[in-house]
Amino acid sequence: MDQAGAGIARTITNFFPHPGKCIVFAGKGNNAGDALVAAQCLRRLGWRIQVWLSFKEVDCSELMRKKLESLRRRPPEILGARPSRSGGTDFGITLVELWADVADQLSAAQDTIASEAYLGSGSPVVILDGLLGLGAKPPLRDPIRIACRYINQLREKEGAYVFAVDLPTGLDGDSGKTDRDCVIADFTVTIGFAKPGLVADGALNFVGRLEVAPLDELRPPEKKEKENCRVRAGSS
């Protein structure tokens, strides 16, 4: 998870080298954990982080909660951190319970993004889609469906750039079939290798630019099979 998250963060900074704002839409499993690790890496570089939780923390996996708690803690050093009016340091972390009052939260996020654009800050606004991972299949269900709609609204109306973690939520990683509210990503950072559904004809408009974050223990099935054959041949 740490290696995957670091790879996602590197991909983001390759396209956006100057710090901006990162909004993490988090589900409750490992996909959310990868996104939170990426956010922590970005935070150390001076990015402001906002985490939108789709589920109550108590309903999230233990590993996801650990990554969220790690993100809440102060890192040893943040490049570009600003002194706050209270005399401390502004570490740019906001936690939003999306499941609690989604309409008000979305309106507030849109207002913030619009005001930053109006002030001419020039800082990018990036959304990390960490809602669902590879094992999930359409159709989507609430609250994930609602979160997907808000991601697409922020992308369309406020010009946010969407990075999907492993695959856009609402897309079948095997077939490429999509839910009607599938996240529309500008970039998809897939972990280990490109899953078949990401390169299917019907998926192209949802995947955006496809990038691979290498992971030592995760390789394409055919590559694993070839390595197993070599091992068996060598032992015979």
Side-chain angles (χ1 to χ4, degrees), residues 5-27:
I8 294 165
R10 280 195 299 271
T11 301
I12 292 173
T13 55
N14 283 343
F15 291 100
F16 300 98
H18 303 295
K21 180 176 183 178
C22 176
I23 304 173
V24 180
F25 277 76

Side-chain angles (χ1 to χ4, degrees), residues 25-133:
F25 277 76
K28 59 181 179 180
N30 289 347
N31 192 258
D34 292 342
L36 292 170
V37 172
Q40 187 168 17
C41 294
L42 293 174
R43 183 188 182 197
R44 294 194 183 102
L45 298 174
W47 285 69
R48 289 166 296 139
I49 307 298
Q50 191 173 82
V51 180
W52 290 31
L53 297 178
S54 299
F55 298 90
K56 296 179 181 180
E57 287 186 53
V58 69
D59 295 328
C60 297
S61 70
E62 181 180 0
L63 189 54
M64 182 273 185
R65 294 198 306 269
K66 286 182 178 179
K67 297 306 180 184
L68 181 60
E69 182 58 32
S70 179
L71 181 62
R72 282 173 169 148
R73 294 197 300 265
R74 289 186 174 187
E77 180 182 2
I78 298 180
L79 301 178
R82 305 183 307 278
S84 67
R85 292 189 182 93
S86 61
T89 304
D90 180 6
F91 290 98
I93 293 290
T94 305
L95 187 64
V96 177
E97 295 175 336
L98 182 62
W99 51 268
D101 198 354
V102 290
D104 289 345
Q105 299 293 1
L106 178 66
S107 177
Q110 290 176 326
D111 289 346
T112 299
I113 294 172
S115 65
E116 288 172 349
Y118 177 79
L119 293 173
S121 64
S123 299
V125 177
V126 164
I127 291 174
L128 273 178
D129 167 20
L131 292 170
L132 294 178

Side-chain angles (χ1 to χ4, degrees), residues 147-225:
C148 289
R149 289 173 179 170
Y150 290 152
I151 289 175
N152 290 336
Q153 284 184 34
L154 290 172
R155 177 182 181 272
E156 180 182 356
K157 296 181 179 180
E158 307 301 337
Y161 295 93
V162 177
F163 282 76
V165 175
D166 209 20
L167 78 173
T169 296
L171 185 143
D172 187 316
D174 294 324
S175 68
K177 293 181 179 179
T178 56
D179 186 273
R180 68 177 185 273
D181 290 312
C182 180
V183 166
I184 302 172
D186 298 289
F187 304 84
T188 294
V189 187
T190 191
I191 311 302
F193 61 94
K195 286 68 179 179
L198 295 174
V199 294
D201 289 342
L204 299 180
N205 291 334
F206 297 90
V207 172
R209 177 163 179 158
L210 183 61
E211 299 285 327
V212 177
L215 195 62
D216 294 338
E217 63 269 25
L218 189 61
R219 288 163 299 202
E222 62 272 14
K223 182 176 289 188
K224 288 185 179 180
E225 180 60 29

